[in-house]
Amino acid sequence: QVQLVESGGGLVQPGGSLGLSCTASGGIFSINAMAWYRQVPGKQRLLVADIIDDGTTYYADSVKGRFTIARDTAKRTVYLQMNTLKPEDTAVYYCKADVQIGGDLMVRWGQGTQVTVSS
């Protein structure tokens, strides 16, 4: 069973930085793409950034220039470095992986980690 485990959330002051990581484990599989989403209570889960297996990245406009997504394929880990954080970045951040097991494509989600930006 493929699982994603996230770490790195917490409380930070506006203008500060925080790094998240997410590691996939649980069997023989390959990962086509990994991404970070975020969600605030009562609202839809939104894509923050993603990275595909050739290294191509995408960022939501709201985080461009402030957040950086990176991936260590050997470690099956994706990172999100968040700089110049704003109160509106406060959310639960979820890691997502598009996983291939044999001929089957599956989506796996992490459990979520809270990021709070507040003074």
PDB file of all heavy atoms in Angstrom, residues 50-63:
ATOM      1  N   ASP A  50       3.298  21.882  -8.667  1.00  0.00           N
ATOM      2  CA  ASP A  50       3.567  20.482  -8.973  1.00  0.00           C
ATOM      3  C   ASP A  50       4.846  20.342  -9.782  1.00  0.00           C
ATOM      4  O   ASP A  50       5.381  21.326 -10.307  1.00  0.00           O
ATOM      5  CB  ASP A  50       2.374  19.789  -9.659  1.00  0.00           C
ATOM      6  CG  ASP A  50       2.097  20.268 -11.067  1.00  0.00           C
ATOM      7  OD1 ASP A  50       2.983  20.868 -11.691  1.00  0.00           O
ATOM      8  OD2 ASP A  50       0.974  20.023 -11.562  1.00  0.00           O
ATOM      9  N   ILE A  51       5.325  19.107  -9.816  1.00  0.00           N
ATOM     10  CA  ILE A  51       6.563  18.806 -10.533  1.00  0.00           C
ATOM     11  C   ILE A  51       6.414  17.420 -11.153  1.00  0.00           C
ATOM     12  O   ILE A  51       6.010  16.459 -10.491  1.00  0.00           O
ATOM     13  CB  ILE A  51       7.784  18.884  -9.585  1.00  0.00           C
ATOM     14  CG1 ILE A  51       9.089  18.641 -10.342  1.00  0.00           C
ATOM     15  CG2 ILE A  51       7.636  17.954  -8.384  1.00  0.00           C
ATOM     16  CD1 ILE A  51      10.330  19.050  -9.543  1.00  0.00           C
ATOM     17  N   ILE A  52       6.710  17.343 -12.452  1.00  0.00           N
ATOM     18  CA  ILE A  52       6.582  16.065 -13.132  1.00  0.00           C
ATOM     19  C   ILE A  52       7.948  15.399 -13.271  1.00  0.00           C
ATOM     20  O   ILE A  52       8.969  15.997 -12.898  1.00  0.00           O
ATOM     21  CB  ILE A  52       5.881  16.211 -14.496  1.00  0.00           C
ATOM     22  CG1 ILE A  52       6.691  17.108 -15.438  1.00  0.00           C
ATOM     23  CG2 ILE A  52       4.483  16.760 -14.303  1.00  0.00           C
ATOM     24  CD1 ILE A  52       6.070  17.189 -16.836  1.00  0.00           C
ATOM     25  N   ASP A  53       7.968  14.189 -13.823  1.00  0.00           N
ATOM     26  CA  ASP A  53       9.182  13.386 -13.750  1.00  0.00           C
ATOM     27  C   ASP A  53      10.341  13.950 -14.560  1.00  0.00           C
ATOM     28  O   ASP A  53      11.492  13.571 -14.319  1.00  0.00           O
ATOM     29  CB  ASP A  53       8.906  11.926 -14.130  1.00  0.00           C
ATOM     30  CG  ASP A  53       8.218  11.799 -15.471  1.00  0.00           C
ATOM     31  OD1 ASP A  53       8.046  12.834 -16.150  1.00  0.00           O
ATOM     32  OD2 ASP A  53       7.820  10.675 -15.828  1.00  0.00           O
ATOM     33  N   ASP A  54      10.078  14.866 -15.488  1.00  0.00           N
ATOM     34  CA  ASP A  54      11.198  15.477 -16.222  1.00  0.00           C
ATOM     35  C   ASP A  54      11.684  16.762 -15.546  1.00  0.00           C
ATOM     36  O   ASP A  54      12.561  17.447 -16.075  1.00  0.00           O
ATOM     37  CB  ASP A  54      10.824  15.745 -17.672  1.00  0.00           C
ATOM     38  CG  ASP A  54       9.781  16.844 -17.825  1.00  0.00           C
ATOM     39  OD1 ASP A  54       9.290  17.361 -16.806  1.00  0.00           O
ATOM     40  OD2 ASP A  54       9.448  17.182 -18.977  1.00  0.00           O
ATOM     41  N   GLY A  55      11.095  17.078 -14.397  1.00  0.00           N
ATOM     42  CA  GLY A  55      11.521  18.254 -13.646  1.00  0.00           C
ATOM     43  C   GLY A  55      10.732  19.513 -13.928  1.00  0.00           C
ATOM     44  O   GLY A  55      10.945  20.547 -13.278  1.00  0.00           O
ATOM     45  N   THR A  56       9.820  19.468 -14.870  1.00  0.00           N
ATOM     46  CA  THR A  56       8.992  20.632 -15.177  1.00  0.00           C
ATOM     47  C   THR A  56       8.115  20.971 -13.982  1.00  0.00           C
ATOM     48  O   THR A  56       7.522  20.079 -13.366  1.00  0.00           O
ATOM     49  CB  THR A  56       8.108  20.355 -16.394  1.00  0.00           C
ATOM     50  OG1 THR A  56       8.940  20.041 -17.504  1.00  0.00           O
ATOM     51  CG2 THR A  56       7.260  21.576 -16.735  1.00  0.00           C
ATOM     52  N   THR A  57       8.043  22.251 -13.657  1.00  0.00           N
ATOM     53  CA  THR A  57       7.265  22.690 -12.505  1.00  0.00           C
ATOM     54  C   THR A  57       6.144  23.636 -12.917  1.00  0.00           C
ATOM     55  O   THR A  57       6.196  24.273 -13.973  1.00  0.00           O
ATOM     56  CB  THR A  57       8.159  23.402 -11.477  1.00  0.00           C
ATOM     57  OG1 THR A  57       8.794  24.524 -12.113  1.00  0.00           O
ATOM     58  CG2 THR A  57       9.214  22.475 -10.926  1.00  0.00           C
ATOM     59  N   TYR A  58       5.160  23.704 -12.055  1.00  0.00           N
ATOM     60  CA  TYR A  58       4.045  24.646 -12.207  1.00  0.00           C
ATOM     61  C   TYR A  58       3.778  25.265 -10.838  1.00  0.00           C
ATOM     62  O   TYR A  58       3.862  24.585  -9.810  1.00  0.00           O
ATOM     63  CB  TYR A  58       2.791  23.926 -12.690  1.00  0.00           C
ATOM     64  CG  TYR A  58       1.541  24.748 -12.484  1.00  0.00           C
ATOM     65  CD1 TYR A  58       1.158  25.698 -13.430  1.00  0.00           C
ATOM     66  CD2 TYR A  58       0.772  24.613 -11.326  1.00  0.00           C
ATOM     67  CE1 TYR A  58       0.032  26.478 -13.222  1.00  0.00           C
ATOM     68  CE2 TYR A  58      -0.344  25.393 -11.120  1.00  0.00           C
ATOM     69  CZ  TYR A  58      -0.715  26.310 -12.069  1.00  0.00           C
ATOM     70  OH  TYR A  58      -1.816  27.094 -11.856  1.00  0.00           O
ATOM     71  N   TYR A  59       3.455  26.568 -10.852  1.00  0.00           N
ATOM     72  CA  TYR A  59       3.109  27.267  -9.615  1.00  0.00           C
ATOM     73  C   TYR A  59       1.814  28.048  -9.796  1.00  0.00           C
ATOM     74  O   TYR A  59       1.595  28.665 -10.844  1.00  0.00           O
ATOM     75  CB  TYR A  59       4.213  28.244  -9.209  1.00  0.00           C
ATOM     76  CG  TYR A  59       5.523  27.580  -8.857  1.00  0.00           C
ATOM     77  CD1 TYR A  59       6.522  27.426  -9.811  1.00  0.00           C
ATOM     78  CD2 TYR A  59       5.756  27.106  -7.572  1.00  0.00           C
ATOM     79  CE1 TYR A  59       7.725  26.810  -9.494  1.00  0.00           C
ATOM     80  CE2 TYR A  59       6.961  26.497  -7.244  1.00  0.00           C
ATOM     81  CZ  TYR A  59       7.938  26.346  -8.210  1.00  0.00           C
ATOM     82  OH  TYR A  59       9.123  25.740  -7.883  1.00  0.00           O
ATOM     83  N   ALA A  60       1.003  28.041  -8.767  1.00  0.00           N
ATOM     84  CA  ALA A  60      -0.149  28.928  -8.763  1.00  0.00           C
ATOM     85  C   ALA A  60       0.350  30.371  -8.722  1.00  0.00           C
ATOM     86  O   ALA A  60       1.406  30.657  -8.140  1.00  0.00           O
ATOM     87  CB  ALA A  60      -1.012  28.645  -7.538  1.00  0.00           C
ATOM     88  N   ASP A  61      -0.404  31.264  -9.333  1.00  0.00           N
ATOM     89  CA  ASP A  61       0.022  32.672  -9.390  1.00  0.00           C
ATOM     90  C   ASP A  61       0.268  33.246  -7.998  1.00  0.00           C
ATOM     91  O   ASP A  61       1.159  34.073  -7.809  1.00  0.00           O
ATOM     92  CB  ASP A  61      -1.039  33.506 -10.107  1.00  0.00           C
ATOM     93  CG  ASP A  61      -1.051  33.253 -11.607  1.00  0.00           C
ATOM     94  OD1 ASP A  61      -0.063  32.704 -12.131  1.00  0.00           O
ATOM     95  OD2 ASP A  61      -2.061  33.609 -12.245  1.00  0.00           O
ATOM     96  N   SER A  62      -0.524  32.804  -7.038  1.00  0.00           N
ATOM     97  CA  SER A  62      -0.446  33.374  -5.694  1.00  0.00           C
ATOM     98  C   SER A  62       0.867  33.059  -4.971  1.00  0.00           C
ATOM     99  O   SER A  62       1.201  33.721  -3.986  1.00  0.00           O
ATOM    100  CB  SER A  62      -1.615  32.874  -4.842  1.00  0.00           C
ATOM    101  OG  SER A  62      -1.596  31.464  -4.772  1.00  0.00           O
ATOM    102  N   VAL A  63       1.615  32.066  -5.470  1.00  0.00           N
ATOM    103  CA  VAL A  63       2.859  31.673  -4.774  1.00  0.00           C
ATOM    104  C   VAL A  63       4.096  31.838  -5.656  1.00  0.00           C
ATOM    105  O   VAL A  63       5.218  31.613  -5.178  1.00  0.00           O
ATOM    106  CB  VAL A  63       2.776  30.222  -4.258  1.00  0.00           C
ATOM    107  CG1 VAL A  63       1.533  30.031  -3.398  1.00  0.00           C
ATOM    108  CG2 VAL A  63       2.812  29.215  -5.396  1.00  0.00           C
TER     109      VAL A  63
END
